[in-house]
Coordinates of all heavy atoms in Angstrom, one line a residue:
I105 N 58.1 69.2 172.8 CA 59.0 69.2 171.7 C 60.5 69.3 172.1 O 61.3 68.5 171.6 CB 58.6 70.4 170.7 CG1 57.2 70.1 170.1 CG2 59.6 70.5 169.6 CD1 56.7 71.3 169.4
F106 N 60.8 70.2 173.0 CA 62.1 70.4 173.4 C 62.6 69.1 174.3 O 63.7 68.7 174.2 CB 62.3 71.6 174.3 CG 62.8 72.7 173.5 CD1 61.8 73.4 172.6 CD2 64.1 73.2 173.4 CE1 62.2 74.5 171.7 CE2 64.4 74.2 172.6 CZ 63.6 74.9 171.7
D107 N 61.7 68.6 175.0 CA 62.1 67.4 175.8 C 62.5 66.2 174.9 O 63.6 65.5 175.2 CB 60.9 66.8 176.7 CG 60.7 67.7 177.9 OD1 61.7 68.6 178.2 OD2 59.8 67.5 178.6
T108 N 61.8 65.9 173.9 CA 62.2 64.8 173.0 C 63.4 65.2 172.1 O 64.3 64.4 172.0 CB 61.0 64.4 172.1 OG1 59.9 63.9 172.9 CG2 61.4 63.3 171.1
N109 N 63.3 66.3 171.3 CA 64.2 66.6 170.4 C 65.6 67.1 170.9 O 66.6 66.8 170.3 CB 63.7 67.8 169.4 CG 62.5 67.4 168.8 OD1 62.0 66.2 168.9 ND2 61.8 68.3 168.0
V110 N 65.6 67.8 171.9 CA 66.9 68.4 172.5 C 67.3 67.5 173.8 O 68.4 67.0 173.9 CB 66.7 69.8 172.9 CG1 68.1 70.3 173.3 CG2 66.2 70.6 171.7
K111 N 66.4 67.5 174.8 CA 66.8 66.8 176.0 C 67.1 65.3 175.8 O 68.0 64.8 176.3 CB 65.7 67.1 177.1 CG 66.1 66.5 178.4 CD 65.0 66.8 179.4 CE 65.3 66.3 180.8 NZ 64.1 66.6 181.7
G112 N 66.2 64.6 174.9 CA 66.5 63.3 174.7 C 67.8 63.0 174.0 O 68.5 62.0 174.4
T113 N 68.2 63.9 173.0 CA 69.6 63.7 172.4 C 70.6 63.9 173.5 O 71.5 63.1 173.5 CB 69.7 64.7 171.3 OG1 68.7 64.4 170.2 CG2 71.1 64.7 170.8
F114 N 70.5 65.0 174.3 CA 71.5 65.2 175.3 C 71.6 64.1 176.3 O 72.7 63.6 176.6 CB 71.0 66.5 176.1 CG 71.6 66.6 177.5 CD1 72.8 66.8 177.7 CD2 70.7 66.6 178.6 CE1 73.4 66.8 179.0 CE2 71.2 66.6 179.9 CZ 72.6 66.8 180.1
L115 N 70.4 63.5 176.7 CA 70.6 62.4 177.8 C 71.1 61.1 177.2 O 71.8 60.4 177.9 CB 69.1 62.2 178.3 CG 68.6 63.4 179.2 CD1 67.2 63.1 179.7 CD2 69.5 63.5 180.4
L116 N 70.7 60.7 176.0 CA 71.4 59.5 175.4 C 72.8 59.7 175.2 O 73.6 58.7 175.5 CB 70.6 59.3 174.1 CG 69.3 58.4 174.1 CD1 68.7 58.2 172.7 CD2 69.4 57.1 174.8
C117 N 73.2 60.9 174.7 CA 74.7 61.1 174.5 C 75.3 61.1 175.9 O 76.5 60.5 175.9 CB 74.9 62.4 173.7 SG 74.4 62.4 172.1
K118 N 74.9 61.7 176.8 CA 75.4 61.7 178.1 C 75.7 60.3 178.6 O 76.6 60.1 179.3 CB 74.5 62.5 179.1 CG 75.2 62.6 180.5 CD 74.2 63.4 181.5 CE 74.8 63.4 182.9 NZ 73.8 64.1 183.9
A119 N 74.6 59.5 178.4 CA 74.8 58.0 178.9 C 75.8 57.3 178.1 O 76.5 56.4 178.6 CB 73.4 57.4 178.9
A120 N 75.9 57.5 176.8 CA 76.8 56.7 176.0 C 78.2 57.2 175.9 O 79.2 56.4 175.7 CB 76.2 56.7 174.6
V121 N 78.5 58.5 176.0 CA 79.8 59.1 175.7 C 80.9 58.5 176.7 O 82.0 58.3 176.2 CB 79.6 60.7 175.9 CG1 81.1 61.3 175.9 CG2 79.1 61.2 174.5
P122 N 80.6 58.4 177.9 CA 81.7 57.8 178.8 C 82.2 56.5 178.3 O 83.4 56.2 178.3 CB 81.1 57.7 180.2 CG 80.0 58.7 180.2 CD 79.5 58.8 178.8
H123 N 81.3 55.6 177.8 CA 81.7 54.3 177.3 C 82.5 54.5 176.0 O 83.6 53.8 175.9 CB 80.5 53.4 177.0 CG 80.8 52.2 176.4 ND1 81.2 51.1 177.0 CD2 80.7 51.8 175.0 CE1 81.4 50.1 176.1 NE2 81.1 50.5 174.9
F124 N 82.1 55.4 175.2 CA 82.8 55.6 173.9 C 84.2 56.1 174.2 O 85.2 55.7 173.6 CB 82.1 56.7 173.1 CG 80.9 56.1 172.4 CD1 79.8 57.0 172.0 CD2 80.7 54.6 172.1 CE1 78.6 56.5 171.4 CE2 79.6 54.2 171.5 CZ 78.5 55.1 171.1
K125 N 84.4 57.1 175.1 CA 85.6 57.7 175.5 C 86.5 56.6 176.1 O 87.7 56.6 175.8 CB 85.4 58.8 176.4 CG 84.9 60.2 175.9 CD 84.9 61.2 177.0 CE 84.6 62.6 176.4 NZ 84.7 63.6 177.5
A126 N 86.0 55.8 176.9 CA 86.8 54.8 177.6 C 87.4 53.8 176.5 O 88.5 53.3 176.8 CB 86.0 54.0 178.6
H127 N 86.7 53.5 175.5 CA 87.1 52.6 174.5 C 87.8 53.3 173.2 O 88.2 52.6 172.3 CB 85.9 51.7 174.0 CG 85.5 50.7 175.2 ND1 84.7 51.1 176.2 CD2 85.8 49.4 175.4 CE1 84.5 50.1 177.0 NE2 85.2 49.1 176.5
K128 N 87.8 54.6 173.3 CA 88.5 55.3 172.2 C 87.8 55.1 170.9 O 88.6 55.1 169.8 CB 90.0 55.0 172.1 CG 90.8 55.2 173.4 CD 90.8 56.7 173.7 CE 91.7 56.9 175.0 NZ 91.7 58.4 175.3
R129 N 86.6 54.9 170.8 CA 85.9 54.7 169.6 C 84.4 54.8 169.8 O 83.9 54.7 171.0 CB 86.1 53.3 169.0 CG 85.8 52.2 169.9 CD 86.1 50.8 169.2 NE 85.7 49.7 170.2 CZ 84.5 49.3 170.5 NH1 83.5 49.8 170.0 NH2 84.3 48.3 171.2
G130 N 83.7 54.9 168.7 CA 82.2 55.0 168.8 C 81.7 56.0 167.7 O 82.5 56.9 167.3
H131 N 80.5 56.0 167.4 CA 79.9 56.8 166.5 C 78.5 57.3 166.8 O 77.7 56.4 167.0 CB 79.9 56.2 165.0 CG 79.8 57.1 163.8 ND1 80.2 56.8 162.6 CD2 79.3 58.4 163.7 CE1 80.1 57.8 161.8 NE2 79.5 58.7 162.5
I132 N 78.3 58.5 167.0 CA 77.0 59.1 167.3 C 76.5 59.8 166.0 O 77.1 60.6 165.4 CB 77.1 60.2 168.4 CG1 77.5 59.5 169.7 CG2 75.7 60.9 168.6 CD1 78.0 60.5 170.7
V133 N 75.2 59.4 165.7 CA 74.5 60.0 164.4 C 73.3 60.7 165.0 O 72.4 60.0 165.5 CB 74.3 59.0 163.4 CG1 73.7 59.7 162.2 CG2 75.6 58.3 163.0
G134 N 73.2 62.1 164.7 CA 71.9 62.7 165.1 C 71.1 63.0 163.9 O 71.6 63.5 162.8
I135 N 69.9 62.7 163.9 CA 68.9 62.9 162.9 C 68.2 64.2 163.2 O 67.3 64.2 164.1 CB 67.8 61.9 162.6 CG1 68.6 60.5 162.5 CG2 67.1 62.1 161.4 CD1 69.6 60.4 161.3
T136 N 68.6 65.3 162.6 CA 68.0 66.7 162.9 C 66.9 67.0 161.9 O 65.9 66.3 161.7 CB 69.0 67.7 163.1 OG1 69.8 67.9 161.9 CG2 69.9 67.4 164.2
S137 N 67.1 68.0 161.1 CA 66.2 68.4 160.0 C 66.9 69.6 159.3 O 67.7 70.3 159.8 CB 64.8 68.9 160.7 OG 64.1 69.6 159.7
D138 N 66.5 69.8 158.1 CA 66.9 71.0 157.4 C 66.6 72.3 158.0 O 67.1 73.4 157.8 CB 66.7 70.9 155.9 CG 65.2 71.1 155.7 OD1 64.3 71.0 156.5 OD2 64.8 71.3 154.5
V139 N 65.6 72.2 158.9 CA 65.1 73.5 159.6 C 66.1 73.8 160.7 O 65.9 74.8 161.4 CB 63.6 73.4 160.1 CG1 62.7 73.1 158.9 CG2 63.5 72.4 161.2
A140 N 67.1 73.0 160.9 CA 68.2 73.4 161.8 C 69.1 74.4 161.2 O 70.0 75.1 161.8 CB 69.1 72.2 162.2
K141 N 68.8 74.7 159.9 CA 69.6 75.6 159.1 C 68.8 76.8 158.5 O 69.3 77.6 157.7 CB 70.4 74.9 157.9 CG 71.2 73.7 158.4 CD 72.5 74.3 159.1 CE 73.5 73.1 159.3 NZ 74.7 73.6 159.9
R142 N 67.5 76.8 158.8 CA 66.6 77.8 158.1 C 65.4 78.0 159.1 O 65.3 77.3 160.0 CB 66.0 77.3 156.8 CG 65.1 76.1 156.8 CD 64.8 75.8 155.3 NE 64.0 74.6 155.3 CZ 62.7 74.4 155.4 NH1 62.0 75.6 155.4 NH2 62.0 73.3 155.3
T143 N 64.6 79.1 158.8 CA 63.5 79.3 159.7 C 62.2 79.4 158.7 O 62.3 79.6 157.5 CB 63.6 80.7 160.5 OG1 63.8 81.7 159.6 CG2 64.8 80.5 161.5
F144 N 61.0 79.3 159.3 CA 59.8 79.4 158.6 C 58.7 79.7 159.5 O 58.7 79.5 160.7 CB 59.5 78.2 157.8 CG 59.3 77.0 158.6 CD1 58.0 76.5 158.9 CD2 60.3 76.2 159.0 CE1 57.8 75.4 159.8 CE2 60.1 75.1 159.9 CZ 58.9 74.7 160.2
A145 N 57.6 80.4 158.9 CA 56.5 80.8 159.7 C 55.8 79.5 160.4 O 55.8 78.4 159.7 CB 55.5 81.5 159.0
H146 N 55.4 79.7 161.6 CA 54.7 78.6 162.4 C 55.7 77.5 162.9 O 55.3 76.5 163.4 CB 53.6 78.0 161.5 CG 52.4 78.8 161.2 ND1 51.4 78.5 160.4 CD2 52.2 80.2 161.4 CE1 50.5 79.5 160.3 NE2 51.1 80.5 160.8
G147 N 57.0 77.8 162.7 CA 58.0 76.7 163.1 C 58.8 77.2 164.3 O 59.9 76.7 164.5
T148 N 58.3 78.1 165.1 CA 59.0 78.6 166.3 C 59.5 77.4 167.2 O 60.7 77.4 167.5 CB 58.3 79.6 167.0 OG1 56.9 79.1 167.4 CG2 58.1 80.9 166.2
A149 N 58.6 76.6 167.6 CA 59.0 75.5 168.5 C 59.8 74.5 167.9 O 60.9 74.2 168.4 CB 57.7 74.9 169.1
Y150 N 59.3 73.9 166.8 CA 60.1 72.8 166.2 C 61.5 73.4 165.7 O 62.5 72.7 165.9 CB 59.3 72.3 165.1 CG 60.0 71.2 164.2 CD1 60.1 69.9 165.0 CD2 60.4 71.2 163.0 CE1 60.8 68.9 164.3 CE2 61.0 70.1 162.4 CZ 61.2 69.1 163.0 OH 61.9 68.0 162.4
G151 N 61.4 74.5 165.0 CA 62.7 75.0 164.4 C 63.7 75.3 165.5 O 64.9 75.0 165.4
A152 N 63.3 75.9 166.6 CA 64.2 76.2 167.8 C 64.7 75.0 168.3 O 66.0 74.9 168.7 CB 63.4 77.0 168.8
S153 N 63.9 73.9 168.4 CA 64.4 72.7 168.9 C 65.4 72.1 168.1 O 66.4 71.5 168.6 CB 63.3 71.7 169.2 OG 62.8 71.1 167.9
K154 N 65.3 72.2 166.8 CA 66.3 71.6 165.9 C 67.6 72.3 165.8 O 68.7 71.9 165.6 CB 65.7 71.4 164.5 CG 64.6 70.3 164.4 CD 65.2 69.0 164.8 CE 64.3 67.8 164.8 NZ 64.9 66.5 165.1
F155 N 67.5 73.7 165.9 CA 68.7 74.6 166.1 C 69.4 74.1 167.2 O 70.6 74.0 167.2 CB 68.3 76.1 166.2 CG 68.3 76.7 164.8 CD1 67.2 76.7 163.9 CD2 69.4 77.5 164.4 CE1 67.2 77.3 162.7 CE2 69.4 78.2 163.2 CZ 68.2 78.0 162.3
A156 N 68.7 74.0 168.4 CA 69.3 73.5 169.6 C 69.9 72.1 169.6 O 71.0 71.9 170.1 CB 68.3 73.6 170.8
Q157 N 69.2 71.2 169.0 CA 69.7 69.8 168.8 C 71.0 69.8 168.0 O 72.0 69.2 168.4 CB 68.7 68.9 168.2 CG 69.1 67.5 168.1 CD 68.2 66.6 167.2 OE1 67.5 67.2 166.3 NE2 68.2 65.4 167.4
D158 N 71.0 70.6 167.0 CA 72.2 70.7 166.1 C 73.4 71.4 166.9 O 74.5 70.9 166.7 CB 71.9 71.7 165.0 CG 73.0 71.7 163.9 OD1 73.6 70.7 163.6 OD2 73.1 72.7 163.2
A159 N 73.1 72.3 167.8 CA 74.2 72.9 168.5 C 74.8 71.8 169.5 O 75.9 71.9 169.7 CB 73.6 74.1 169.3
V160 N 73.9 71.1 170.1 CA 74.4 70.1 171.1 C 75.3 69.1 170.3 O 76.5 68.7 170.8 CB 73.1 69.2 171.6 CG1 73.7 68.0 172.4 CG2 72.4 70.1 172.6
L161 N 75.0 68.6 169.2 CA 75.8 67.7 168.4 C 77.0 68.3 167.9 O 78.1 67.7 167.9 CB 74.9 67.2 167.2 CG 73.7 66.2 167.6 CD1 72.8 66.1 166.4 CD2 74.2 64.9 168.2
A162 N 77.0 69.6 167.4 CA 78.2 70.2 166.9 C 79.2 70.5 168.1 O 80.4 70.3 167.8 CB 77.8 71.6 166.3
S163 N 78.7 70.9 169.2 CA 79.6 71.1 170.4 C 80.2 69.8 170.9 O 81.5 69.7 171.1 CB 78.9 71.7 171.5 OG 78.5 73.0 171.2
L164 N 79.4 68.7 170.9 CA 79.8 67.4 171.3 C 80.9 66.9 170.4 O 81.9 66.2 170.7 CB 78.7 66.5 171.4 CG 79.0 65.1 171.9 CD1 79.6 64.9 173.2 CD2 77.7 64.1 171.8
R165 N 80.7 67.2 169.0 CA 81.7 66.7 168.0 C 83.1 67.2 168.4 O 84.1 66.4 168.3 CB 81.3 67.2 166.7 CG 82.1 66.8 165.5 CD 81.7 67.3 164.2 NE 80.4 66.8 163.9 CZ 79.3 67.6 163.8 NH1 79.5 69.0 163.7 NH2 78.1 67.1 163.4
K166 N 83.2 68.5 168.9 CA 84.5 69.1 169.2 C 85.0 68.4 170.5 O 86.2 68.3 170.7 CB 84.4 70.6 169.3 CG 84.0 71.2 168.1 CD 83.9 72.7 168.2 CE 83.5 73.5 167.0 NZ 84.5 73.3 165.9
E167 N 84.1 68.0 171.4 CA 84.6 67.5 172.7 C 85.2 66.0 172.5 O 86.1 65.7 173.2 CB 83.4 67.4 173.7 CG 83.0 68.8 174.1 CD 81.7 68.7 175.1 OE1 81.4 67.6 175.5 OE2 81.1 69.7 175.2
V168 N 84.5 65.3 171.7 CA 84.9 63.8 171.6 C 85.8 63.5 170.5 O 86.4 62.4 170.5 CB 83.6 62.9 171.5 CG1 82.6 63.2 172.7 CG2 82.8 63.2 170.2
R169 N 86.0 64.3 169.6 CA 86.9 63.9 168.4 C 88.3 63.6 168.9 O 88.8 62.6 168.4 CB 87.0 65.1 167.4 CG 87.7 64.8 166.2 CD 87.9 66.0 165.3 NE 86.6 66.6 164.9 CZ 86.1 66.5 163.7 NH1 86.9 65.9 162.7 NH2 84.9 67.1 163.3
P170 N 88.9 64.3 170.0 CA 90.2 63.9 170.4 C 90.2 62.5 171.0 O 91.3 62.0 171.2 CB 90.5 64.9 171.5 CG 89.6 66.1 171.1 CD 88.3 65.5 170.6
H171 N 89.1 62.0 171.3 CA 89.0 60.6 172.0 C 88.7 59.5 170.9 O 88.4 58.4 171.3 CB 87.9 60.6 173.0 CG 88.1 61.6 174.1 ND1 89.0 61.4 175.2 CD2 87.7 62.9 174.3 CE1 89.0 62.4 176.1 NE2 88.3 63.3 175.5
G172 N 88.7 59.9 169.7 CA 88.5 58.9 168.6 C 87.0 58.6 168.4 O 86.6 57.6 167.7
V173 N 86.1 59.5 168.8 CA 84.7 59.3 168.7 C 84.2 60.2 167.6 O 84.5 61.4 167.6 CB 84.0 59.5 170.1 CG1 82.5 59.3 169.9 CG2 84.6 58.7 171.1
K174 N 83.3 59.7 166.8 CA 82.7 60.4 165.6 C 81.3 61.0 166.1 O 80.6 60.2 166.7 CB 82.6 59.6 164.4 CG 84.0 59.0 163.9 CD 83.7 58.2 162.6 CE 85.1 57.6 162.1 NZ 84.7 56.8 160.8
V175 N 81.0 62.1 165.5 CA 79.7 62.6 165.6 C 79.3 63.2 164.3 O 79.9 64.0 163.7 CB 79.5 63.8 166.7 CG1 78.1 64.3 166.7 CG2 79.9 63.3 168.1
S176 N 78.2 62.6 163.7 CA 77.7 63.0 162.5 C 76.2 63.5 162.5 O 75.5 62.9 163.3 CB 77.6 61.8 161.5 OG 79.0 61.3 161.3
T177 N 76.0 64.6 161.8 CA 74.6 65.1 161.8 C 73.9 65.0 160.4 O 74.6 65.5 159.5 CB 74.6 66.5 162.3 OG1 75.3 66.6 163.7 CG2 73.1 67.1 162.5
I178 N 72.8 64.5 160.4 CA 72.0 64.4 159.1 C 70.9 65.3 159.1 O 70.0 65.3 160.1 CB 71.6 63.0 158.9 CG1 72.9 62.0 158.7 CG2 70.7 62.8 157.7 CD1 72.6 60.6 158.6
Y179 N 70.7 66.1 158.1 CA 69.7 67.0 157.9 C 68.6 66.6 156.8 O 68.8 67.1 155.7 CB 70.2 68.5 157.7 CG 71.3 68.9 158.7 CD1 72.6 68.6 158.3 CD2 71.0 69.7 159.8 CE1 73.6 69.1 159.2 CE2 72.0 70.0 160.6 CZ 73.3 69.7 160.4 OH 74.3 70.2 161.2
P180 N 67.6 65.9 157.1 CA 66.8 65.6 156.0 C 65.7 66.8 155.7 O 65.4 67.6 156.6 CB 65.9 64.4 156.5 CG 66.6 63.9 157.8 CD 67.3 65.2 158.2
G181 N 65.3 66.9 154.5 CA 64.2 67.8 154.2 C 62.9 67.0 154.4 O 62.7 66.3 155.4
L182 N 61.8 67.2 153.5 CA 60.5 66.6 153.7 C 60.7 65.1 153.6 O 61.2 64.6 152.5 CB 59.7 67.2 152.7 CG 59.3 68.6 152.6 CD1 58.5 69.1 151.5 CD2 58.5 69.0 153.9
V183 N 60.1 64.4 154.6 CA 60.2 62.9 154.6 C 58.8 62.4 154.8 O 58.0 62.9 155.6 CB 61.0 62.3 155.6 CG1 61.1 60.8 155.5 CG2 62.4 62.9 155.6
D184 N 58.3 61.4 154.0 CA 56.9 60.9 154.1 C 56.9 59.9 155.3 O 57.2 58.8 155.2 CB 56.6 60.2 152.9 CG 55.2 59.7 152.8 OD1 54.3 60.3 153.6 OD2 54.8 58.8 152.0
T185 N 56.5 60.4 156.5 CA 56.4 59.6 157.7 C 55.1 60.0 158.5 O 54.2 60.6 158.0 CB 57.5 59.9 158.7 OG1 57.5 61.2 159.2 CG2 58.9 59.8 158.0
Y186 N 55.0 59.5 159.7 CA 53.9 59.8 160.5 C 54.1 61.1 161.3 O 53.3 61.5 162.3 CB 53.7 58.7 161.6 CG 53.4 57.3 161.0 CD1 54.3 56.4 160.7 CD2 52.0 56.9 161.0 CE1 53.9 55.2 160.1 CE2 51.7 55.8 160.3 CZ 52.7 54.8 160.0 OH 52.3 53.6 159.5
F187 N 55.1 61.8 161.0 CA 55.5 63.1 161.6 C 54.3 64.1 161.7 O 53.5 64.2 160.7 CB 56.6 63.8 161.0 CG 57.1 65.0 161.6 CD1 57.8 64.9 162.8 CD2 56.8 66.3 161.1 CE1 58.3 66.1 163.4 CE2 57.2 67.4 161.7 CZ 58.0 67.3 162.9
N188 N 54.1 64.7 162.8 CA 53.0 65.6 163.1 C 51.6 65.1 162.8 O 50.7 65.6 162.3 CB 53.2 66.9 162.2 CG 52.3 68.0 162.6 OD1 52.0 68.2 163.8 ND2 51.9 68.9 161.7
D189 N 51.5 63.8 163.2 CA 50.2 63.0 163.1 C 49.7 62.9 161.7 O 48.5 62.7 161.5 CB 49.1 63.7 164.0 CG 49.5 63.7 165.5 OD1 50.0 62.6 165.9 OD2 49.2 64.6 166.2

Side-chain angles (χ1 to χ4, degrees):
I105 293 170
F106 268 76
D107 280 351
T108 299
N109 297 358
V110 187
K111 188 178 179 182
T113 294
F114 156 66
L115 290 176
L116 276 179
C117 291
K118 180 182 178 182
V121 161
H123 174 81
F124 288 153
K125 282 185 175 181
H127 290 81
K128 302 294 183 183
R129 60 176 174 78
H131 201 154
I132 297 168
V133 180
I135 311 299
T136 59
S137 168
D138 67 348
V139 303
K141 302 290 189 180
R142 64 183 177 91
T143 58
F144 61 98
H146 297 179
T148 49
Y150 182 67
S153 76
K154 287 301 177 178
F155 268 78
Q157 183 191 23
D158 188 34
V160 170
L161 294 165
S163 296
L164 180 61
R165 182 180 300 121
K166 296 180 182 296
E167 294 177 13
V168 299
R169 191 186 296 254
H171 300 275
V173 181
K174 300 180 181 182
V175 177
S176 301
T177 307
I178 295 178
Y179 308 90
L182 296 171
V183 185
D184 187 20
T185 68
Y186 294 91
F187 183 74
N188 195 30
D189 295 326

